[in-house]
Amino acid sequence: MKRYLILFLITFQGLMAQVQFEARVSKNSLGINERLRIDFIMNVDGDNFEQPSFDGFKMVAGPSQQISQSWINGRSSFQKIYSYILQPERKGALTIKQAAIEFNGQVYKTNPIKVTVTNAVAQERDPNDRPQGSGNELLELVAEISKTNPYLNEPITVVYKLYFNNIGVNGFKELAKPKYNDFWNQNIDVKQLSVQQGSYQGQQAYYVILKKTILYPQKSGRLTIDPLSLDIEIEMASNRRDMFGQMITTQGNKIVTAGAKAINVRPLPESTQPEGFTGAVGKLNFTVTPSKTTLKNGEGLDLIVSAQGTGNMKLFTLPKPVVPNALEMYDPVHDESVTTSLTGMSGRITDKYTIVPQYRGKYAIKPMQFSYFDLSSGTYKTITSKEIMIDVLDGPTPAEANTGAASKNIVAKADQFKNIKSKTALIPVEKKDFYDSSLYLGLLFAPFIIIPIIILARKKKEAMDSDVTGNRIRMNNKLAKKYLSQAKKHLNNKEPFYIALEKAMHNFLKAKLHIETSEMSKDNISELLLSRNANAETVQNFIALTENCEFARYAPASSASIQQDYDKAVMIISELEKQIV
């Protein structure tokens, strides 16, 4: 017996000396649209397991626990595992910090693990990793490119569309935004997300335009647009129904990715490129216009150099005029009146130069040349302005200006004292005493007025707070009006319209009948409404419209039928307001 005890102690001490606690991940590099499994494995039954904070990750599932124990050839083995499924929230190098356990009074920790999160990658989804539906569901994110082989600085558009069918979309979150390296880009506002009918790969489907972007490539060669990835909250109808015959829906999340897109940008022809070309591409016109050409002594003129039309208006520079030395030209004031749409930039850009002549005489502003690459013909176009003659009628000649320089210096000395003030503004030294002011009296008596008001308001609030039933009725009334207003805003968007309409009708019942959601069976609603003197036909219409809200969310509906359902709901609620006692 003593020998067995010694062997047991030796074996126990050996186990104590070999405590293992480690963390393992399913992969060390993954796309931002992929998921990561991490297991914390120990060979002893540790206590007080502390999980790390998982900074940079969202916990999708976990912790799940597995315990296994076996005896092989007289030796026992034990294993305990805590498992998590994580979704990265940002790209870059992320670190999973240490987890900890306690065993026999000692603390054991895992080593930190570094994980690299890259751009979204194309992947085949596991059919088990989504809510179960009928099998005919469609949910795809597509990036439609207007042109994949443009010229340098030729506009192209990217339109992101979400195609779906037999599935409800309750919301989405961007996991990865597209990057447009080496592109000038601007988003085109999508004012309202509206559902439209179309087809996807030959299959009838609905789609929503989520994002529109106009791009101007700034570099030739092969350029890549990083993908857009979304985490979408979905809702699908199942093949099951509840005890009231209503369809049971399942909810979950699905990650969709538009995929990276490659653009092959062609360089502009170099052999025929004109001198002074500054990168203008499109269909443009060029003008040089003086505000006037005849001047008196001391007057100036504005020389307006402008280009107008369609093209990369914000991405090139206008030529600079060359004027004689006798004309002093100041730096230009640049102005842009440009609009950007899916067809590209259009409008007008202007450089306005102020020119002031120094001497009397006639001076010529040389013709200016402006070149651009015409996309329609694939050739360069050059526009030449006319020569502009400036006639200065009076003023000194260059010789007279030199002899008059000394007298100008004498005149300038007469102005050296002009900044000295000749008047003094005096303010009184003694001010009125604060204790005799109306502000002091107001502050003195203010507490005697404010404190009673606060006491009355507090008593009123306490009375309202103690009225639990009244508060619930008021809250339900408020929610009914809120959801009815939301339904009106979504008349052009079927899914959120019917969700808001159903919530409005349910909260109306809660306010009027003082019932909870669990009591809202068809028979109970009918019995309660009829007992409150509601008209039988109105009650039947109310129940029919409530049931229709559930099925209409998954069936195609026209804007006319949606409007009819809204008008019917308003009418029914108004009638019940009058009938219920």
Side-chain angles (χ1 to χ4, degrees), residues 462-472 474:
E462 289 176 350
M464 292 181 65
D465 290 342
S466 62
D467 185 10
V468 178
T469 303
N471 286 337
R472 186 183 298 119
R474 284 188 289 271

Side-chain angles (χ1 to χ4, degrees), residues 142-145 157-161 209-213 342:
V142 177
E144 296 182 353
I145 311 291
T157 58
V158 184
V159 179
Y160 294 92
K161 294 181 179 180
I209 296 177
L210 302 178
K211 193 181 186 72
K212 299 178 182 178
T213 306
L342 279 182

Side-chain angles (χ1 to χ4, degrees), residues 32 91 118-121 141 143 145 158 160 176-183 211 213 215 223-229 257-263:
I32 194 168
K91 293 187 292 185
T118 62
N119 293 327
V121 297
L141 181 63
I145 311 291
V158 184
Y160 294 92
K177 295 183 178 181
K179 288 187 177 180
Y180 309 109
N181 297 326
D182 299 315
F183 289 94
K211 193 181 186 72
T213 306
L215 305 177
L223 305 182
T224 301
I225 299 175
D226 289 346
L228 171 68
S229 294
T257 304
K261 299 294 180 180
I263 308 295

Side-chain angles (χ1 to χ4, degrees), residues 159-212:
V159 179
Y160 294 92
K161 294 181 179 180
L162 181 67
Y163 286 92
F164 61 95
N165 202 4
N166 298 320
I167 195 168
V169 177
N170 295 333
F172 63 87
K173 181 179 73 172
E174 286 189 357
L175 293 178
K177 295 183 178 181
K179 288 187 177 180
Y180 309 109
N181 297 326
D182 299 315
F183 289 94
W184 182 94
N185 67 89
Q186 181 171 325
N187 290 329
I188 308 299
D189 289 338
V190 178
K191 296 183 179 179
Q192 184 177 4
L193 299 181
S194 59
V195 180
Q196 304 177 50
Q197 288 186 332
S199 62
Y200 177 76
Q201 296 181 351
Q203 177 184 354
Q204 289 293 322
Y206 297 96
Y207 69 89
V208 177
I209 296 177
L210 302 178
K211 193 181 186 72
K212 299 178 182 178

